[in-house]
Amino acid sequence: MKLKWIYLTFACMLILVLFGCEMEAEDGKANRHYIQIEEIELVDVSLEREEGSEVAVYQAKIKNRSKHTVQGVTIEVELKDGQHTTIVTQDTLKPGDTSGWIRCVGPQSLKLKDLKKTRFTIKMIDEENQETVVTYDVGRDFYTYSESTERETINPKVKVDDIEFVDPTFAPEGAGVKLQTYLKNNSSHAIQNIMYTFEDDLGETHTLYHPLEIGGNQQSSLLTTSNLSKKKWKDYQFKRVSYTYQDKGQWVCVVYDVRLDQYFKEE
């Protein structure tokens, strides 16, 4: 009897190996090892006319309800009148995270049923920095997956902490707020093309960009960014910082992902 149970256990294990642990799904079918389309949720949705305009504006946020980390979502949309548009976020969304506001042109009817989502493109990244792009064709109910590629991480010679905000001030400007500041390069390397992407506590995304070169241990000219809503840094959260620095005559492009606390090398 004992021998019979051993054979039975072995047979069950063999079935699991052959069928239950299959890594690749059939073409077009959802692969359970990757994010599923129903795990990407549009929340806080609204559709209304822009103030003082006839333009219809669709706005929403994207919530990641999966167990995977997402580094960008693009949703292609067809309107009832035949126009096409896209809903896009470049936010890094860990499981449970919600993006900032995303907006696109909506149907003139102001009816959500006249906005038809046709294709989802979702960029995923795992713990080993392997990047996979998942595409879902809504009309065909068809998934495709790119081959995983490793995003190149870097330990840069210039880090975010080497770039200092000097005398930042928030001042009223019309109905909003503007930020004025200098940037100080505290490293010995020249830097340029510095872009900060940050979000306020209302979910609005803003950028501060300085394209010009700042030499080692030097300070930039005055930078200004407008149309902000808050007057204190505590009401903002940085999402990513991109810049290039010069090393042995070569420019190195870097993106620092704040949510992942990781530096990536860009081409």
Side-chain angles (χ1 to χ4, degrees):
M1 179 66 70
K2 185 175 180 181
L3 187 60
K4 179 180 179 181
W5 278 109
I6 292 174
Y7 284 136
L8 183 60
T9 302
F10 176 76
C12 291
M13 290 177 63
L14 184 60
I15 290 171
L16 284 173
V17 169
L18 292 177
F19 301 103
C21 298
E22 184 179 358
M23 292 298 293
E24 296 297 330
E26 289 182 45
D27 287 345
K29 303 297 183 182
N31 187 321
R32 62 186 176 83
H33 298 282
Y34 300 107
I35 194 167
Q36 307 296 298
I37 202 63
E38 61 269 15
E39 296 173 321
I40 293 294
E41 182 184 5
L42 290 164
V43 298
D44 299 332
V45 174
S46 68
L47 179 56
E48 56 190 24
R49 296 203 188 281
E50 194 175 60
E51 186 176 350
S53 170
E54 290 299 309
V55 176
V57 177
Y58 173 91
Q59 72 172 12
K61 297 177 181 178
I62 290 179
K63 187 174 182 66
N64 178 12
R65 294 195 176 278
S66 77
K67 62 182 180 181
H68 306 281
T69 296
V70 170
Q71 280 198 311
V73 179
T74 299
I75 306 173
E76 298 174 38
V77 173
E78 180 181 344
L79 306 183
K80 190 174 182 180
D81 57 10
Q83 296 186 58
H84 292 79
T85 186
T86 55
I87 301 168
V88 180
T89 180
Q90 297 299 328
D91 288 358
T92 295
L93 304 176
K94 288 185 173 182
D97 281 348
T98 301
S99 74
W101 285 110
I102 50 178
R103 296 179 175 89
C104 70
V105 175
Q108 288 299 313
S109 66
L110 296 182
K111 295 179 180 178
L112 288 173
K113 67 181 180 65
D114 293 335
L115 186 145
K116 180 182 176 183
K117 296 180 281 292
T118 59
R119 184 185 299 270
F120 287 71
T121 303
I122 305 163
K123 186 189 297 181
M124 294 171 39
I125 191 166
D126 65 16
E127 295 81 0
E128 283 75 43
N129 295 315
Q130 293 288 327
E131 182 179 276
T132 302
V133 178
V134 178
T135 303
Y136 176 69
D137 187 310
V138 178
R140 298 168 60 203
D141 187 22
F142 195 94
Y143 282 89
T144 55
Y145 303 91
S146 72
E147 292 189 9
S148 295
T149 57
E150 184 174 358
R151 285 203 66 186
E152 185 177 357
T153 58
I154 186 174
N155 182 18
K157 294 185 177 179
V158 178
K159 293 186 167 61
V160 168
D161 289 344
D162 294 322
I163 308 171
E164 177 186 359
F165 284 84
V166 178
D167 298 330
T169 59
F170 293 90
E173 183 181 55
V177 175
K178 69 177 178 181
L179 166 65
Q180 291 186 312
T181 188
Y182 299 91
L183 293 179
K184 174 73 181 300
N185 176 12
N186 291 317
S187 78
S188 59
H189 300 267
I191 56 176
Q192 64 181 21
N193 294 324
I194 309 164
M195 178 178 286
Y196 290 87
T197 303
F198 54 101
E199 182 180 305
D200 64 27
D201 58 2
L202 300 175
E204 297 289 350
T205 298
H206 308 278
T207 58
L208 178 67
Y209 179 57
H210 182 66
L212 303 179
E213 182 177 327
I214 308 174
N217 299 302
Q218 295 186 19
Q219 184 170 293
S220 73
S221 56
L222 183 66
L223 281 73
T224 300
T225 187
S226 300
N227 300 317
L228 306 182
S229 60
K230 302 294 182 176
K231 297 181 180 180
K232 297 181 180 178
W233 272 127
K234 69 179 182 64
D235 296 321
Y236 296 94
Q237 180 183 48
F238 286 101
K239 296 198 283 190
R240 61 184 171 275
V241 186
S242 62
Y243 56 94
T244 61
Y245 68 90
Q246 194 172 49
D247 181 34
K248 299 178 181 178
Q250 300 293 320
W251 288 99
V252 181
C253 301
V254 175
V255 174
Y256 175 64
D257 189 309
V258 177
R259 277 182 169 161
L260 298 181
D261 188 23
Q262 182 67 67
Y263 290 90
F264 295 95
K265 185 176 181 181
E266 299 290 303
E267 293 299 329

